[in-house]
Amino acid sequence: MQPPAIALENVVKRFDDGAPVLDGVCLTVAPSEFLTVIGASGSGKTTLLRMINRLLDPTAGHIFVGGKETAAQDATALRRSIGYVFQEVGLFPHMTVAENIAITPRLIGWTADRISARVSELLVLVQLDDDYTDRYPHQLSGGQRQRVGLARAIAASPDVVLMDEPFAALDPLTRETLGRDYRRLHDELGITTVMITHDVLEALTLADRIIVLSGGRVVADDKPRDIIDNAHPYVAELMQAPRRHAQKIGQLFGSSESA
């Protein structure tokens, strides 16, 4: 039986002996699953993500990636095996698009020819053409930089990609387009994705499954169509936002039609 792509067992994280940021979190993510994590600021979302690739280590509990406990793995090698995309993108300004995408393949010893072929392949996958190869980050729009960030994250063909508010700084149209394009890549490549977002509608439309964190605990874990009706007070409050938006849009269209 294939192990989960990611598993957390009773994970606790404290900083400076304070109250736990994460408190007994148990979670499994299946291979090729798209999981979104939502919750208020300070609920532990980013801490959870950073512990999966050992940017942070848990105070207690166990974390597994690909069936192997992360604490027993070399942290640098683990991070190079996992794609990571975050809001600020973090492209190196002194490197070209091609050089930014090639960072991880180069670090793990790919040949120059293999890297060149992979860069060309990835530019097509993220819907940028070869004209972008020699451009620098300051010559790109925000959406283009995020596409390069996505390409860099999947350059070494990772099984797991972690995403921390990857589209939050983009305008609504670019955000929707990039979310849809990444979901296509996720499906085509069979990636396991864990994405943090504050946007409930984004979580509902992109994910196979959603977990809600509150006070460092998982208070809901369900498919999008089922989490809408979750009875937990905090989850019910979160789910009111997309309902209100739908009602307002319905009223606007109703008003325009009656006019």
Side-chain angles (χ1 to χ4, degrees), residues 199-228:
D199 189 323
V200 177
L201 186 58
E202 185 172 69
L204 290 168
T205 55
L206 290 180
D208 299 318
R209 192 169 125 239
I210 297 170
I211 68 166
V212 181
L213 285 177
S214 180
R217 294 177 177 270
V218 176
V219 296
D221 181 345
D222 223 328
K223 294 179 180 178
R225 66 173 178 269
D226 297 321
I227 207 165
I228 284 281

Side-chain angles (χ1 to χ4, degrees), residues 21 51 73-74 103 111 114 117 124 140 148 164 194 234 253:
V21 178
M51 286 197 296
Q73 300 183 51
D74 177 77
I103 287 172
T111 65
R114 186 181 179 190
V124 172
L140 308 177
V148 175
D164 192 353
V194 180
Y234 176 65
F253 278 103

Side-chain angles (χ1 to χ4, degrees), residues 24-50:
V25 171
C26 294
L27 172 68
T28 61
V29 187
S32 302
E33 186 173 27
F34 195 129
L35 177 77
T36 58
V37 184
I38 59 176
S41 296
S43 60
K45 302 185 302 298
T46 296
T47 298
L48 183 151
L49 210 65
R50 289 178 176 176

